[in-house]
């Protein structure tokens, strides 16, 4: 029962981003504005994530984390107003950027990692990636 609940909890960040996307489409269609390239990229990435998570759950969860990371870096967006923030630290009069991106994605990364942390344990090891590749190969045969 616990594993099944964890499995379904993995979908929460995906559902959140989908709700944001639907809201974005609604706001665009009811206003005098149009979508930006970041929005299109977000829609395509979201669609691909759905396909992958339904095909191979573990890989889909990792791709979802990547999509959220791309949103954090402001490479894609699911929001009507794209708010990209830059924070600097000043050392000896030189400004060094320490953050550039969309702050809302910090929350989405937090939610994603809390709900799906088990997919990221040992992600830095060679065995992790070999196991993931073996799962993909097994699924395609």
């Amino acid at each position: 029962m616990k594993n099944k609940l964890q499995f379904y909890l993995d979908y929460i960040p995906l559902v959140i981003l989908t709700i944001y996307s639907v809201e974005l489409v609604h706001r665009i269609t009811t206003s005098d504005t149009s979508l930006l390239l970041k929005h299109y990229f977000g829609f395509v990435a979201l669609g691909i994530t759905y396909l992958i998570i339904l095909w191979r759950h573990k890989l889909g969860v990792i791709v979802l984390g990547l999509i959220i990371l791309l949103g954090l870096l402001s490479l894609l967006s699911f929001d009507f107003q794209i708010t990209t923030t830059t924070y600097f630290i000043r050392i000896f009069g030189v400004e060094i950027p320490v953050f550039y991106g969309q702050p809302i994605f910090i929350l989405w990364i937090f939610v994603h990692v809390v709900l799906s942390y088990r997919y990221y344990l040992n992600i830095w090891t060679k065995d992790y990636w070999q196991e993931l590749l073996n799962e993909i190969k097994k699924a395609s045969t």
Side-chain angles (χ1 to χ4, degrees):
M1 177 68 175
K2 183 180 177 186
N3 287 341
K4 195 166 194 131
L5 176 64
Q6 286 179 328
F7 178 84
Y8 289 116
L9 288 175
D10 293 334
Y11 287 94
I12 288 176
L14 189 58
V15 169
I16 290 170
L17 294 179
T18 302
I19 291 169
Y20 264 75
S21 295
V22 169
E23 173 65 18
L24 170 63
V25 170
H26 175 343
R27 289 190 67 186
I28 291 293
T29 57
T30 58
S31 69
D32 201 22
T33 59
S34 60
L35 295 170
L36 300 173
L37 188 59
K38 289 180 183 187
H39 295 133
Y40 288 114
F41 186 46
F43 291 143
V44 169
L46 194 63
I48 290 170
T49 303
Y50 267 103
L51 293 174
I52 293 173
I53 205 167
L54 292 173
W55 175 61
R56 284 281 160 262
H57 187 80
K58 180 178 180 178
L59 180 61
V61 170
I62 293 167
V63 168
L64 178 58
L66 177 63
I67 297 306
I68 295 171
L69 183 62
L70 292 174
L72 177 67
L73 299 174
S74 199
L75 296 174
L76 56 82
S77 183
F78 302 102
D79 200 359
F80 182 74
Q81 289 182 305
I82 300 173
T83 306
T84 303
T85 306
T86 306
Y87 291 108
F88 296 93
I89 57 172
R90 188 177 297 244
I91 300 176
F92 302 114
V94 176
E95 288 186 337
I96 301 170
V98 292
F99 177 78
Y100 173 83
Q102 298 178 73
I104 188 65
F105 279 91
I106 293 172
L107 174 63
W108 303 148
I109 283 179
F110 177 76
V111 168
H112 177 68
V113 169
V114 166
L115 295 175
S116 304
Y117 68 92
R118 65 198 176 283
Y119 293 106
Y120 295 100
L121 299 174
N122 302 318
I123 198 168
W124 303 113
T125 65
K126 184 178 178 181
D127 290 340
Y128 178 92
W129 293 102
Q130 284 178 336
E131 179 184 326
L132 187 62
L133 288 174
N134 287 338
E135 285 180 29
I136 294 168
K137 286 178 188 176
K138 192 182 335 177
S140 60
T141 58

